[in-house]
């Protein structure tokens, strides 16, 4: 089954949980152990990527991660030299909240031939950066303005534009390590206006907050920073349980 179909199926049942791992910041041993622990403790998929590549260990660690788990491994590209055959799919992000053409289409044009070459499943994703109270890597690297966190109507208009342009999911991100996660009211306003799968991340540090975001209408909750700082399998389990308790049936 294609990853996208699997995600569609999951979200009709209950809210789901993605763990974000940055393979470039992990040793080979950590990458394998963490990926396996995420799967064992209920994660529905792994997002792999980051805003920048420093150590050149992305591809090798991604290969090890993919071999260690059976849940979907999905590339979440900060910049588009992250394309690799060692994943089940790639979120092909267009930063629709930006007015920077490189982030809207330039990077994707550079990535597309590689995606074809590797026969990688590409999931076209409207990526919206929401103001999270501090400066984050994604904001700096994408050279763009975030959507103000109190402007639900602006967020809705962007998400609708993404849907009408034919994107297959919407990712609302306050950025990794955001001081504040995306407000519930903005998530529910977007949820009420679009029918696409909705991914929400950035600054989610507790299972309670993750549960709240799922209740507000996020189909997929992403956590990265909190586990990167101090990886704890029991926290992965607590996040999974809190998120999965939000049923859609
Ligand atoms: C970042 O949405 C992800 O792109 C996750 O954010 O690292 O703050 O959990 P955190």
């Amino acid at each position: 089954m294609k990853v996208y179909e699997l995600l569609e199926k999951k979200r009709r049942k209950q809210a789901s949980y993605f763990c974000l791992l940055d393979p470039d910041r992990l040793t080979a041993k950590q990458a394998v152990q963490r990926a396996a622990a995420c799967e064992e403790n209920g994660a529905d998929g792994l997002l792999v990527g980051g805003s920048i590549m420093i150590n050149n260990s992305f591809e090798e660690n991604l290969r090890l991660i993919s071999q260690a788990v059976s849940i979907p491994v999905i590339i979440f590209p900060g910049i588009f030299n992250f394309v690799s055959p060692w994943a089940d799919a790639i979120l092909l992000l267009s930063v629709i909240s930006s007015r920077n053409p490189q982030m809207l289409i330039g990077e994707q044009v550079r990535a597309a031939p590689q995606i074809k070459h590797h026969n990688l499943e590409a999931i076209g994703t409207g990526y919206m950066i929401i103001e999270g109270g501090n400066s984050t890597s994604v904001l700096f690297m994408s050279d763009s303005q975030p959507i103000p966190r109190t402007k639900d109507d602006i967020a809705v208009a962007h998400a609708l534009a993404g849907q009408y342009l034919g994107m297959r999911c919407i990712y609302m991100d306050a950025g990794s390590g955001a001081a504040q996660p995306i407000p519930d009211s903005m998530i529910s306003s977007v949820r009420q206006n679009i029918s696409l799968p909705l991914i929400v991340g950035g600054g989610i540090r507790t299972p309670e907050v993750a549960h709240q975001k799922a209740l507000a209408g996020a189909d997929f909750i992403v956590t990265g920073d909190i586990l990167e700082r101090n990886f704890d399998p029991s926290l992965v389990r607590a996040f999974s349980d809190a998120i999965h308790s939000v049923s859609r049936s």
Side-chain angles (χ1 to χ4, degrees), residues 24-56:
D24 192 56
R25 291 198 199 177
L26 301 173
T27 64
K29 195 173 161 197
Q30 281 174 326
V32 169
Q33 282 177 343
R34 290 186 185 194
C38 289
E39 178 170 39
E40 278 160 25
N41 288 284
D44 297 281
L46 298 177
L47 294 190
V48 286
S51 287
I52 195 162
M53 223 189 285
I54 301 283
N55 298 314
N56 208 25

Side-chain angles (χ1 to χ4, degrees), residues 20 76 127 171 173 175-178 200-205 222-226:
L20 171 64
F76 172 52
Y127 185 71
Y171 190 148
D173 200 348
S176 192
V200 170
I204 297 174
R205 294 186 177 80
V222 185
T223 68
D225 190 59
I226 188 74

Side-chain angles (χ1 to χ4, degrees), residues 110-139:
R110 280 162 56 176
Q114 284 292 96
I115 292 173
K116 182 172 168 59
H117 177 74
H118 295 311
N119 199 20
L120 200 54
E121 179 184 341
I123 302 174
T125 301
Y127 185 71
M128 296 164 47
I129 306 175
I130 314 295
E131 185 187 8
N134 55 348
S135 179
T136 57
S137 302
V138 67
L139 206 51

